[in-house]
C-alpha cells in the first residue's frame, strides 16, 4: 500500500525578553542553579503574576509576520498538572483566545514552494529543569528557567514529509530570529520542536492516529525522529496492527523513539481562565506601532530578489536564511547596481564557503560588503578575472589589504585587455610553436587549448582569456 | 448526575491526594450531598449569559520588561525540605 | 479603659506621649498571655519581635515622623505572609513555613509604624465558617466558650472581641470577615474587590479573596482601611484609583439614605432571635432618618451553589503549589515521587481542604467544566446584575449577616452543607465583588451576638461606614465586652 505522511509541528520559541513573563527575574542563560528563581518563580504562597509587556510585544510581531489575527482581548488560562519543575502545580498558558490565531508561512523544499498554515501561537511560561544525574538517586530541580516567556507555535497538519517538516522548522527558526523575538539557540533550548506524526493510505481523507514526538532539539533529530516514527507506524499498520495515540520521546543516543505515556493515562489539564490575570487588550495603535517596527520580512525579500535582481527562487531563499545574510547581500548590491546575480553568486559561493570552513557567522565576515562590492566591480569591468578575484578576496580576508583596487595594483594583478598587446603575445606564441599550429590546422582541436595555455603562460596569467580565445582563433584562420 | 467511587478515586489521583478505600467511601457520601446542592444551578437557563471570571471589568496591566529581582536562593532554600548544591531535591523523576 | 479605647483615642494618647507603644503593646501581650490559652485566638506570638516594632514606633513618634495609627498594635490573620514570622494559614502544610517576605498589607502597616501583635488562628486556608478546620485547633467564642467564633477569620474576630487586640486583619472570600465579626459581636468590612492588595495574602479563591479590617467600631475600620487600601503593581487585579479618606463622611447625617431590604434575606432560614435584633437595628436607622425600599435579589438563592463551585475550583489550582518540594510540609515516608506528592498532600491538608480540592478538581475536569464551572460563572454574572439593578433603587442593602447566632463547637462539623449555609447571606456580595460589612446590633439566643450585614455599591465604603458610624453613635453594642474576659 502507498502511505501518505501527515505531520504537524508544535514549536516552543523562548522569547528574547530581559525578564520573565510574569516576574522581574532575569532569564540569562547559564546562571547558578535557582539564583534566578524569584519568589514568584518558586511559587511562594501569596505571590502573584504580572504580565511582561515585552513578551506580548514579541507575540504581536510574530502574528503580524505570519499574517495572522491578533486576538484582543486575549486570555490567560491555567493548565493544571503536577511536576517538580512546575512550581505552582499549573502552567500559566493560553487556551481560549490565544494571542495569535491563524496565519501562514511559505516554505521552500528543493525548488518547490509550499504554504503551511498555522493554527495558533500562544504565550506561556516555561518550566524549570530536572537534573537526573549527580544527586545519588534523587532528582535536582533548577527553577531558573521557570517563568521564561515562551511562544508556542502550532501548525496545521500540512506537512507531508520529514523534509517539509524540517523546511518549515527552519523557516520559522529563521523568522523568529529575523524579527528579533527569539535568539534561536537550539543547544540552549531556545527553540524546541515537538512533532505530531500520523500516516494514512494515500488518497484517503481521514487522519490516522497520531503520535507526538517530543525532545527534538535539532533539525537533524527532527528529520530522523520523523523518519523513524513513520517507519514504525507503517510497519505496525502493514502487519495489521493499530497505532496507539501516545507521546514518544526521541532518544538521540540510540536514534530511536520510545513511548513516554499513552492516551489512556493522559492528563486532564483542567484548563480555566487564570483569576490572577485579566483579559489582555491590544489596541490598534499598538499593532500599528509593532508593524512599523518590523523589518522587511523574508518572504517579501525573496520575491523582491527575484523581481529586482533576477535571482532564482532557490538563490533568493538561500540569501534570506538569515536577516544578517540578506542584509549583507542588500548592502553589497546597493553599491553595485545591476550586479545582483554576480553578488549573489559570490556571497553564496566564495563568501559562504569560506565562512563555513572557518566556522564564522556572516556578522563576523572579515570582508565587508563595501570591500566585496569593490572587488566585484573589477570583475564586471573586466579588470580582473574570476581567478584573480579569488586571489584578491583571499588577500582582503587575511587582512593583507583593505581595498580591492589597492591589492590589484600592488600585486600587479591587472588583466591585460588591450587587443594589440594580446595580439603581440599571440603572434610570439604562434612563431614559437609551429608544431601545434600545424596540428591544429590538420584538425587536432586539442592543440588550440595548448596554444591558449601558452599565451596565458607568457602573460603570467594576466591576459583576458576571452580575448585570447577570439584573437587566437582569428589569427589561426587567417 | 451521580458521583461514583471511581470518580472520587480519579479526582483524588488528579489532585495528588492519597485516599484509602474507606476514606473514598466517606468522601463520596459528603461530595454527593454537596453536589446535590450544586445541582440547583442547572435549573437556570443561562444560554445567552456571558461567563464572569472577574468581579471588575478591567484589563490586564502590563509590566515593563526590566529585571527587578536579585538572587535570594539562600534565603528561599533555608525553608526547603531538601536541597543540595542549590538544587531542590525530589525523589527520582522517571520519564 | 485602655483595652476598650478606640483607635482614635489610642492614637491621641500615643501622639501626646501619654503612653508609649511599648506600654500599649505590652498591655495587650499581657492580656493575650492570660486569655489565649482558653480562647486559642493566636497561632504565633513573638513578644520580642512585637516589642522591637513598638520601640521603632516610639522612635518614630519621638522624632516627629509618626503617621496615623503609628504605634498601634494589630493582630494579623495568619494568612498574611510576614517576613520572619511563622505563616501557617492554619494548616499543617505550612506548619514550618517562616515567610521570607512581607505581604503588601503587612508592608503598608510596617511602613506606618503599626505593631504586629501576633498571627491569629483561622480555618485552614480560610476554608470554613467556624474556625474548627484549623490545624491549630478551634478558636472559642469569647461570649460563650462552647460556641464557635465563626470563620474563617475566627481568631481575629475573637482577639478583637476579647480585647486581646485593638483591631485585627481578616480576609473574606465568601463571608470570612463578616460572619465571624457578626458571631463575635464586632465590626468588620470587606472592601470592594481589588482595593486591598492580595500580594502575600495566601490565595484561597483568587477572584473572590479580599482583605479587610476587623475592629470594634466603624470609625476604627475607616482608619484601618485608609492604611490597607492602595494600588499595588504586584497584584494584577489591584485597582488604580485616587486615594480616599474613608473617615471623611463618618459624621454625615443619613436622612436621605435609602436602605434596600432584599426579600430573599428576610425569608425562611433566618432564626427568630436574629430577626428581632435585625428589626430593632433597622428601627434605629429609621429613627436616624433613613427610608426603606423593598428590593429583590432573585438569583442570590443560587449564591451558595455558585460559590461552592467557583471557590473550590480556584482553590484546587491555587493549592497545587503545596507539594512538599520547595517549602512547607513533606511526608516522612514515601516510595517515589508520585507517592511523595500524594502522602504530603493527604497528610498536610485537613479534611475540609481536601474536600474542597476534590470538588474543585471535579468541576474543572474533562466533561464537567461546562455543566459546573461555566454555568457557575454565568450565574455569577446574573447574581452581580441583581445587585446592579437593586442599587438603582437604594443606596445600601441591609439584612442579617448570618442566619443564626454562633452555633456550638462541634455542632456542624460532620455536616458540610449546614456549615456552608452559614454564608448564605454573605456569599452573593462576594461573587459580585461588592463591599460588605457587619456591625454588632444586639444579642440573640444564649446571649450570643447578632450582626447586621450592610452591602454597598462598588467603592461606596465611605457611605457604608457613615451609616454604621451613625448607628454606633446612638447605640452601644460595639462597646460591649464579653463578661468572662473583662480585665
Amino acid at each position: 500500500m502507498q502511505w501518505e505522511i501527515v505531520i504537524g509541528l508544535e514549536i516552543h520559541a523562548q522569547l528574547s525578553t530581559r525578564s520573565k513573563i510574569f516576574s522581574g527575574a532575569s532569564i540569562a542563560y547559564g546562571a547558578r542553579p535557582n539564583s534566578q528563581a524569584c519568589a514568584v518563580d518558586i511559587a511562594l504562597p501569596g505571590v502573584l503574576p504580572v504580565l511582561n509587556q515585552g513578551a506580548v510585544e514579541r507575540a504581536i510581531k510574530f502574528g503580524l509576520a505570519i499574517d495572522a489575527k491578533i486576538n484582543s482581548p486575549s486570555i490567560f488560562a491555567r493548565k493544571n498538572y503536577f511536576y517538580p519543575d512546575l512550581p505552582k502545580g499549573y502552567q500559566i498558558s493560553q487556551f481560549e483566545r490565544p494571542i495569535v490565531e491563524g496565519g501562514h508561512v511559505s516554505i521552500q523544499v528543493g525548488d518547490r514552494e509550499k504554504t503551511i498554515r498555522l493554527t495558533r501561537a500562544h504565550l506561556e511560561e516555561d518550566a524549570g529543569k530536572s537534573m537526573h544525574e549527580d544527586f545519588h538517586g534523587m532528582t535536582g530541580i533548577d527553577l531558573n528557567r521557570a517563568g521564561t516567556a515562551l511562544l508556542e507555535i502550532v501548525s496545521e497538519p500540512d506537512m507531508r514529509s520529514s523534509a517539509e517538516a524540517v523546511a518549515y522548522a527552519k523557516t520559522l527558526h529563521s523568522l523568529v530570529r529575523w524579527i528579533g523575538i527569539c535568539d534561536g539557540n537550539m543547544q540552549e533550548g531556545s527553540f524546541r520542536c515537538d512533532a505530531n506524526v500520523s500516516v494514512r493510505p494515500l488518497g484517503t481523507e481521514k487522519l490516522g492516529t497520531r503520535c507526538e514526538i517530543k525532545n527534538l532539539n535539532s533539525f537533524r533529530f527532527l528529520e530522523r525522529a520523523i523518519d523513524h516514527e513513520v517507519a514504525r507506524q507503517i510497519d505496525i499498520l502493514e502487519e495489521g496492527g493499530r497505532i496507539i495515540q501516545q507521546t514518544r520521546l526521541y532518544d538521540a543516543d540510540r536514534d530511536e523513539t520510545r513511548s513516554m505515556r499513552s492516551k489512556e493515562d493522559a492528563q486532564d489539564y483542567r484548563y480555566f481562565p487564570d483569576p490572577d490575570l485579566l483579559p489582555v487588550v491590544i489596541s490598534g495603535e499598538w499593532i500599528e506601532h509593532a508593524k512599523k517596527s518590523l523589518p522587511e520580512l523574508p518572504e517579501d525579500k525573496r520575491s523582491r530578489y527575484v523581481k529586482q535582481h533576477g535571482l532564482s527562487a532557490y538563490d533568493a531563499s538561500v540569501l534570506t536564511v538569515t536577516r544578517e545574510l540578506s542584509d549583507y547581500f542588500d548592502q553589497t548590491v546597493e553599491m553595485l547596481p545591476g550586479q545582483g546575480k554576480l553578488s549573489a553568486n559570490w556571497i553564496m559561493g566564495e563568501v559562504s564557503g569560506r565562512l563555513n570552513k572557518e566556522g564564522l557567522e556572516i556578522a563576523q565576515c572579515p570582508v565587508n560588503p563595501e570591500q566585496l562590492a569593490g572587488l566585484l566591480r573589477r570583475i564586471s569591468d573586466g579588470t580582473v578575472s574570476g581567478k584573480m578575484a579569488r586571489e584578491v578576496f583571499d588577500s582582503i580576508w587575511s587582512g593583507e589589504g583593505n581595498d580591492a583596487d589597492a591589492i590589484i595594483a600592488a600585486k600587479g594583478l591587472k588583466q591585460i585587455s588591450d587587443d594589440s598587446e594580446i595580439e603581440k603575445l599571440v603572434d610570439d606564441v604562434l612563431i614559437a610553436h609551429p608544431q601545434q599550429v600545424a596540428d591544429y590546422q590538420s584538425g587536432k582541436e586539442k592543440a588550440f587549448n595548448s596554444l591558449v595555455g601558452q599565451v596565458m603562460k607568457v602573460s603570467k596569467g594576466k591576459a583576458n582569456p576571452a580575448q585570447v580565445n577570439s584573437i587566437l582563433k582569428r589569427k589561426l584562420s587567417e | 448526575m451521580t458521583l461514583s467511587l471511581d470518580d472520587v478515586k480519579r479526582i483524588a489521583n488528579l489532585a495528588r491526594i492519597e485516599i484509602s478505600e474507606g476514606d473514598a467511601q466517606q468522601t463520596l457520601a459528603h461530595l454527593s450531598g454537596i453536589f446535590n446542592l450544586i445541582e440547583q444551578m442547572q435549573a437556570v437557563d443561562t444560554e445567552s449569559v456571558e461567563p464572569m471570571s472577574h468581579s471588575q471589568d478591567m484589563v490586564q496591566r502590563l509590566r515593563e520588561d526590566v529585571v527587578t529581582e536579585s538572587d535570594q536562593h539562600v534565603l528561599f532554600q533555608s525553608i526547603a525540605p531538601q536541597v543540595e548544591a542549590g538544587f531542590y531535591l525530589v525523589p527520582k523523576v522517571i520519564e | 479603659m485602655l483595652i476598650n479605647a478606640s483607635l482614635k483615642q489610642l492614637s491621641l494618647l500615643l501622639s501626646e506621649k501619654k503612653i508609649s507603644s511599648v506600654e500599649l503593646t505590652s498591655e495587650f501581650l499581657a492580656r493575650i498571655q492570660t486569655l489565649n490559652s482558653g480562647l486559642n485566638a493566636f497561632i504565633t506570638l513573638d513578644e520580642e519581635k512585637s516589642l522591637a516594632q513598638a520601640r521603632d514606633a516610639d522612635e518614630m513618634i519621638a522624632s516627629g515622623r509618626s503617621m496615623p495609627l503609628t504605634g498601634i498594635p494589630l493582630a494579623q490573620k495568619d494568612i498574611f505572609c510576614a517576613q520572619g514570622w511563622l505563616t501557617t494559614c492554619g494548616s499543617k502544610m505550612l506548619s514550618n513555613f517562616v515567610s521570607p517576605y512581607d505581604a503588601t498589607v503587612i508592608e503598608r502597616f510596617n511602613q506606618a509604624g503599626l505593631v504586629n501583635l501576633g498571627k491569629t488562628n483561622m480555618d485552614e486556608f480560610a476554608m470554613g465558617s467556624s474556625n474548627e478546620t484549623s490545624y491549630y485547633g478551634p478558636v472559642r467564642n469569647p461570649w460563650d466558650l462552647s460556641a464557635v467564633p465563626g470563620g474563617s477569620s475566627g481568631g481575629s474576630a475573637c482577639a478583637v472581641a476579647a480585647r486581646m487586640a485593638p483591631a485585627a486583619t481578616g480576609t473574606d472570600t465568601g463571608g470570612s470577615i463578616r460572619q465571624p465579626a457578626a458571631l463575635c459581636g464586632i465590626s468588620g468590612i470587606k472592601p470592594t474587590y481589588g482595593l486591598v492588595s492580595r500580594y502575600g495574602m495566601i490565595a484561597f479563591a483568587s477572584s473572590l479573596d479580599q482583605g479587610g479590617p476587623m475592629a470594634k467600631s466603624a470609625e476604627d475600620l475607616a482608619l484601618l482601611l485608609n492604611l490597607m487600601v492602595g494600588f499595588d503593581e504586584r497584584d494584577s487585579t489591584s485597582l488604580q484609583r485616587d486615594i480616599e479618606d474613608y473617615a471623611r463622611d463618618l459624621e454625615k447625617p443619613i436622612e436621605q439614605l435609602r436602605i434596600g431590604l432584599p426579600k430573599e434575606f428576610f425569608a425562611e432560614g433566618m432564626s427568630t432571635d436574629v430577626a428581632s435584633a435585625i428589626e430593632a437595628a433597622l428601627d434605629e436607622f429609621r429613627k436616624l432618618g433613613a427610608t426603606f425600599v423593598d428590593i429583590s435579589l432573585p438569583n442570590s438563592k443560587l449564591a451558595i451553589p455558585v460559590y461552592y463551585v467557583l471557590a473550590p475550583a480556584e482553590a484546587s489550582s491555587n493549592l497545587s503549589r503545596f507539594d512538599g518540594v520547595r517549602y512547607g510540609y513533606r511526608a516522612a515516608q514515601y516510595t517515589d515521587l508520585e507517592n511523595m506528592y500524594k502522602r504530603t498532600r493527604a497528610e498536610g491538608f485537613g479534611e475540609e481542604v481536601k474536600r474542597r480540592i476534590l470538588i474543585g478538581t471535579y468541576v474543572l475536569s474533562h466533561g464537567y467544566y461546562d455543566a459546573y464551572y461555566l454555568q457557575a460563572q454565568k450565574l455569577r454574572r446574573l447574581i452581580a446584575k441583581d445587585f446592579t439593578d437593586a442599587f438603582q433603587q437604594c443606596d445600601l442593602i441591609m439584612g442579617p449577616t448570618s442566619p443564626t447566632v454562633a452555633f456550638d463547637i462541634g455542632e456542624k462539623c460532620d455536616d458540610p452543607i449546614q456549615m456552608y449555609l452559614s454564608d448564605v447571606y454573605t456569599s452573593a456580595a462576594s461573587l459580585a465583588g461588592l463591599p460588605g460589612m457587619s456591625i454588632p446590633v444586639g444579642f440573640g439566643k444564649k446571649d450570643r451576638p447578632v450582626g447586621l450585614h450592610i452591602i454597598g455599591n462598588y467603592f461606596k465604603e465611605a457611605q457604608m461606614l457613615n451609616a454604621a458610624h451613625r448607628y454606633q453613635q446612638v447605640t452601644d453594642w460595639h462597646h460591649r465586652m464579653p463578661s468572662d474576659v473583662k480585665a
Side-chain angles (χ1 to χ4, degrees):
Chain A
M1 190 184 299
Q2 281 269 68
W3 297 95
E4 183 174 45
I5 303 161
V6 178
I7 304 162
L9 292 189
E10 285 171 25
I11 288 173
H12 289 86
Q14 267 184 11
L15 298 179
S16 55
T17 51
R18 280 181 285 271
S19 62
K20 293 186 177 175
I21 184 168
F22 298 116
S23 83
S26 168
I27 65 155
Y29 184 80
R32 285 187 304 134
N34 290 303
S35 63
Q36 289 176 176
C38 73
V40 172
D41 305 326
I42 67 167
L44 283 179
V47 298
L48 296 168
V50 184
L51 181 59
N52 181 342
Q53 176 167 10
V56 179
E57 177 102 31
R58 283 165 178 77
I60 295 172
K61 282 187 174 180
F62 179 77
L64 294 172
I66 59 159
D67 197 21
K69 180 181 161 205
I70 308 295
N71 272 325
S72 177
S74 181
I75 307 288
F76 281 94
R78 294 184 182 179
K79 178 181 181 179
N80 294 282
Y81 66 95
F82 286 88
Y83 205 76
D85 64 16
L86 187 72
K88 294 187 293 299
Y90 59 84
Q91 179 193 31
I92 305 178
S93 179
Q94 299 197 282
F95 190 60
E96 284 173 340
R97 299 196 66 85
I99 186 152
V100 172
E101 213 166 334
H104 52 87
V105 293
S106 67
I107 61 169
Q108 188 81 28
V109 190
D111 53 5
R112 203 165 46 84
E113 198 174 279
K114 181 173 177 174
T115 298
I116 306 294
R117 294 166 302 153
L118 278 80
T119 315
R120 57 188 272 155
H122 66 250
L123 284 167
E124 63 183 26
E125 56 180 341
D126 208 344
K129 280 183 186 166
S130 301
M131 305 293 170
H132 303 300
E133 318 297 328
D134 307 330
F135 296 105
H136 33 83
M138 298 191 81
T139 292
I141 306 294
D142 175 10
L143 298 174
N144 280 349
R145 197 180 67 178
T148 300
L150 291 179
L151 191 65
E152 180 175 331
I153 305 161
V154 183
S155 82
E156 291 287 299
D158 280 356
M159 287 150 275
R160 295 290 172 270
S161 67
S162 60
E164 286 187 9
V166 168
Y168 166 78
K170 282 184 170 170
T171 302
L172 274 195
H173 183 248
S174 154
L175 180 66
V176 294
R177 286 183 301 156
W178 190 284
I179 60 175
I181 64 167
C182 169
D183 69 17
N185 190 324
M186 294 178 86
Q187 273 89 49
E188 292 176 5
S190 304
F191 189 89
R192 316 195 284 266
C193 303
D194 298 340
N196 283 306
V197 178
S198 65
V199 298
R200 63 184 170 194
L202 191 64
T204 60
E205 279 293 307
K206 195 170 166 280
L207 288 172
T209 305
R210 67 188 161 90
C211 293
E212 185 180 8
I213 321 169
K214 286 197 173 288
N215 199 26
L216 303 170
N217 57 7
S218 80
F219 297 126
R220 200 167 61 91
F221 291 166
L222 174 65
E223 184 166 24
R224 297 177 76 126
I226 290 172
D227 289 342
H228 274 283
E229 180 57 19
V230 165
R232 190 188 70 88
Q233 291 187 15
I234 292 175
D235 279 352
I236 292 174
L237 292 171
E238 289 191 336
E239 281 165 23
R242 177 177 80 86
I243 306 295
I244 298 161
Q245 186 169 344
Q246 59 189 299
T247 301
R248 299 180 69 83
L249 198 70
Y250 178 68
D251 185 334
D253 296 334
R254 295 182 192 168
D255 192 21
E256 62 181 27
T257 66
R258 60 186 156 84
S259 183
M260 271 174 83
R261 52 174 182 262
S262 69
K263 189 71 184 173
E264 277 82 81
D265 49 66
Q267 290 283 353
D268 181 346
Y269 290 122
R270 290 157 285 139
Y271 280 100
F272 74 107
D274 192 329
D276 287 331
L277 292 161
L278 299 161
V280 182
V281 170
I282 297 152
S283 67
E285 282 161 34
W286 194 4
I287 291 175
E288 276 313 305
H289 184 264
K291 226 177 238 170
K292 281 188 195 122
S293 72
L294 279 179
E296 187 186 7
L297 295 172
E299 279 189 52
D300 299 334
K301 269 202 183 185
R302 280 199 283 277
S303 55
R304 185 165 62 79
Y305 288 177
V306 172
K307 254 188 245 152
Q308 193 180 329
H309 300 303
L311 302 188
S312 70
Y314 175 79
D315 287 357
S317 77
V318 171
L319 286 174
T320 52
V321 158
T322 67
R323 190 169 148 194
E324 290 74 17
L325 187 65
S326 75
D327 285 347
Y328 189 97
F329 172 74
D330 286 341
Q331 286 163 27
T332 306
V333 83
E334 201 189 333
M335 291 177 273
L336 209 62
Q339 296 296 339
K341 183 71 188 152
L342 178 68
S343 304
N345 285 345
W346 266 77
I347 291 169
M348 293 187 303
E350 206 63 27
V351 175
S352 296
R354 190 70 184 262
L355 288 172
N356 263 344
K357 206 169 114 189
E358 304 199 5
L360 297 176
E361 297 294 326
I362 186 75
Q364 303 161 292
C365 183
V367 180
N368 66 35
E370 195 184 343
Q371 292 169 320
L372 183 67
L375 172 59
L376 302 186
R377 193 173 294 122
R378 295 298 162 246
I379 297 176
S380 65
D381 68 9
T383 306
V384 292
S385 65
K387 189 162 168 255
M388 288 169 169
R390 276 189 281 280
E391 201 180 326
V392 178
F393 180 80
D394 282 346
S395 299
I396 304 177
W397 185 285
S398 60
E400 279 172 49
N402 269 325
D403 166 65
D405 286 345
I407 294 167
I408 291 165
K411 294 202 163 185
L413 285 171
K414 205 166 168 139
Q415 189 165 247
I416 300 166
S417 308
D418 183 65
D419 275 355
S420 58
E421 212 172 318
I422 294 174
E423 273 184 42
K424 194 177 168 298
L425 290 170
V426 170
D427 288 342
D428 291 350
V429 166
L430 292 179
I431 291 162
H433 300 280
Q435 184 59 45
Q436 271 97 326
V437 175
D439 285 353
Y440 176 77
Q441 276 160 351
S442 67
K444 291 187 179 161
E445 287 285 326
K446 264 190 172 171
F448 183 79
N449 290 341
S450 157
L451 288 168
V452 171
Q454 291 301 328
V455 177
M456 294 309 290
K457 192 175 167 189
V458 297
S459 77
K460 301 197 177 78
K462 289 182 205 165
N464 182 320
Q467 280 170 286
V468 171
N469 261 297
S470 67
I471 290 170
L472 190 60
K473 232 170 216 157
R474 179 162 49 82
K475 295 255 175 199
L476 286 167
S477 62
E478 271 169 7
Chain B
M1 78 126 276
T2 40
L3 207 64
S4 70
L5 197 62
D6 278 349
D7 287 329
V8 172
K9 290 179 186 164
R10 179 177 61 83
I11 55 179
N13 179 54
L14 269 179
R16 298 294 185 273
I17 293 173
E18 190 174 61
I19 190 162
S20 69
E21 193 69 30
D23 286 348
Q25 287 285 0
Q26 206 197 346
T27 303
L28 176 63
H30 277 138
L31 294 193
S32 298
I34 295 163
F35 275 96
N36 281 339
L37 179 78
I38 290 173
E39 283 310 312
Q40 291 173 22
M41 295 195 316
Q42 310 305 342
V44 185
D45 178 12
T46 53
E47 186 70 41
S48 58
V49 183
E50 257 314 279
M52 177 172 165
S53 301
H54 300 95
S55 58
Q56 301 284 347
D57 196 14
M58 289 201 311
V59 302
Q60 179 63 34
R61 186 164 25 81
L62 300 173
R63 186 175 58 77
E64 209 187 320
D65 181 19
V66 286
V67 175
T68 53
E69 301 298 317
S70 52
D71 178 8
Q72 293 196 76
H73 82 278
V74 176
L75 173 65
F76 293 157
Q77 295 194 339
S78 67
I79 50 169
Q82 201 177 356
V83 287
E84 190 177 305
F87 290 86
Y88 294 99
L89 290 197
V90 296
K92 186 109 184 160
V93 176
I94 301 143
E95 273 187 342
Chain C
M1 194 168 49
L2 215 51
I3 58 162
N4 215 15
S6 71
L7 294 187
K8 209 170 167 182
Q9 290 165 333
L10 291 177
S11 282
L12 195 67
L13 292 172
L14 284 163
S15 65
E16 289 177 346
K17 303 190 179 73
K18 290 191 171 136
I19 188 171
S20 69
S21 177
V22 169
E23 287 164 342
L24 189 61
T25 302
S26 304
E27 165 117 12
F28 280 104
L29 286 172
R31 274 187 71 77
I32 295 169
Q33 276 307 325
T34 316
L35 297 172
N36 195 49
S37 57
L39 295 171
N40 198 26
F42 286 84
I43 290 173
T44 302
L45 293 160
D46 189 330
E47 203 161 301
E48 280 196 17
K49 274 204 186 69
S50 301
L51 289 173
Q53 273 193 308
R55 279 192 293 274
D56 289 347
D58 284 331
E59 224 164 88
M60 280 174 80
I61 295 165
S63 61
R65 289 180 291 123
S66 72
M67 290 182 267
L69 306 189
T70 298
I72 302 276
L74 211 57
Q76 300 289 357
K77 186 176 181 179
D78 207 21
I79 201 167
F80 289 102
C81 288
Q83 184 161 17
W85 288 80
L86 190 64
T87 300
T88 71
C89 222
S91 181
K92 180 180 181 184
M93 190 60 96
L94 290 177
S95 53
N96 59 359
F97 179 71
V98 176
S99 176
Y101 80 108
D102 277 330
T104 298
V105 163
I106 297 289
E107 205 174 77
R108 292 178 74 95
F109 282 131
N110 287 347
Q111 275 161 8
L114 279 81
V115 174
N116 184 350
L117 262 186
K119 306 293 293 289
T120 61
N121 205 339
M122 56 183 285
D123 277 302
E124 186 181 3
F125 285 106
M127 297 177 192
S129 306
S130 67
N131 221 303
E132 292 165 293
T133 71
S134 170
Y135 173 63
Y136 295 90
V139 177
R140 290 177 185 276
N141 191 316
W143 294 95
D144 183 340
L145 298 183
S146 61
V148 301
S152 67
S153 310
S156 286
C158 172
V160 175
R163 306 304 192 248
M164 291 190 279
T169 54
T171 61
D172 190 311
T173 305
S176 280
I177 286 176
R178 293 162 285 165
Q179 187 256 15
L183 270 47
C184 287
I186 64 160
S187 306
I189 185 165
K190 175 201 98 76
T192 305
Y193 180 88
L195 286 183
V196 172
S197 168
R198 293 187 296 112
Y199 190 82
M201 197 177 101
I202 299 173
F204 160 17
S206 312
S207 79
L208 299 161
D209 295 343
Q210 187 61 199
M214 304 175 81
K216 295 185 286 289
S217 67
E219 182 192 69
D220 287 0
L221 294 179
L223 298 176
L224 288 163
L225 264 195
N226 282 347
L227 285 179
M228 289 180 85
V229 170
F231 170 66
D232 182 7
E233 60 180 14
R234 290 175 294 190
D235 174 0
S236 296
T237 61
S238 173
L239 295 162
Q240 255 168 318
R241 292 173 56 83
D242 292 340
I243 290 170
E244 56 178 298
D245 174 8
Y246 290 100
R248 69 183 187 274
D249 289 338
L250 287 177
E251 306 296 336
K252 254 174 119 173
I254 57 165
E255 275 149 28
Q256 303 301 319
L257 194 73
R258 295 168 303 160
I259 295 171
L261 303 175
K263 64 176 187 205
E264 293 80 7
F265 288 5
F266 290 87
E268 52 177 322
M270 178 169 34
S271 60
T272 51
D273 57 333
V274 170
S276 51
I278 298 296
E279 283 306 325
L282 295 178
D283 265 344
E284 290 295 337
F285 280 99
R286 188 175 287 117
K287 284 182 213 158
L288 287 164
T291 55
F292 292 94
V293 192
D294 287 324
I295 58 164
S296 175
L297 303 167
N299 291 293
S300 66
K301 61 180 184 297
L302 290 171
I304 289 287
V306 168
Y307 178 83
Y308 278 96
V309 170
L310 296 182
E314 292 183 20
S316 71
S317 177
N318 282 333
L319 270 60
S320 291
R321 68 188 59 199
F322 304 108
D323 59 3
V325 175
R326 298 163 313 286
Y327 48 77
Y329 178 76
R330 180 188 282 197
Q333 303 286 323
Y334 46 82
T335 53
D336 58 15
L337 178 71
E338 290 297 296
N339 191 247
M340 189 275 275
Y341 281 152
K342 288 183 176 176
R343 288 215 177 161
T344 295
R345 291 166 61 80
E347 294 164 18
F349 290 137
E351 289 313 307
E352 181 60 24
V353 170
K354 284 190 264 191
R355 195 143 55 218
R356 296 205 198 182
I357 290 174
L358 294 179
I359 295 169
T361 303
Y362 186 71
V363 299
L364 289 175
S365 68
H366 187 71
Y368 301 99
Y369 182 89
D370 286 4
Y372 292 114
Y373 185 75
L374 202 63
Q375 174 74 351
Q377 276 202 325
K378 290 173 164 187
L379 290 169
R380 182 178 184 182
R381 188 168 298 282
L382 295 182
I383 289 165
K385 189 173 173 299
D386 282 355
F387 282 106
T388 312
D389 294 345
F391 282 120
Q392 304 285 326
Q393 308 166 55
C394 62
D395 303 306
L396 298 176
I397 292 170
M398 289 189 188
T401 305
S402 162
T404 63
V405 294
F407 43 90
D408 287 343
I409 290 174
E411 191 181 326
K412 297 184 180 178
C413 274
D414 296 326
D415 191 348
I417 292 171
Q418 279 312 306
M419 190 70 91
Y420 295 173
L421 291 174
S422 302
D423 293 333
V424 67
Y425 302 131
T426 48
S427 53
S430 294
L431 290 166
L434 289 165
M437 70 185 293
S438 182
I439 52 169
V441 293
F443 295 87
K445 229 167 44 186
K446 298 187 186 170
D447 287 329
R448 294 175 184 178
V450 174
L452 174 75
H453 191 205
I454 306 173
I455 302 170
N457 208 341
Y458 298 105
F459 312 116
K460 293 294 184 188
E461 287 80 3
Q463 191 178 31
M464 298 157 68
L465 291 162
N466 166 222
H469 180 67
R470 297 297 288 183
Y471 172 84
Q472 289 180 337
Q473 283 177 318
V474 295
T475 57
D476 73 342
W477 304 114
H478 62 293
H479 289 312
R480 305 276 183 101
M481 274 192 284
S483 55
D484 290 353
V485 299
K486 272 180 192 161

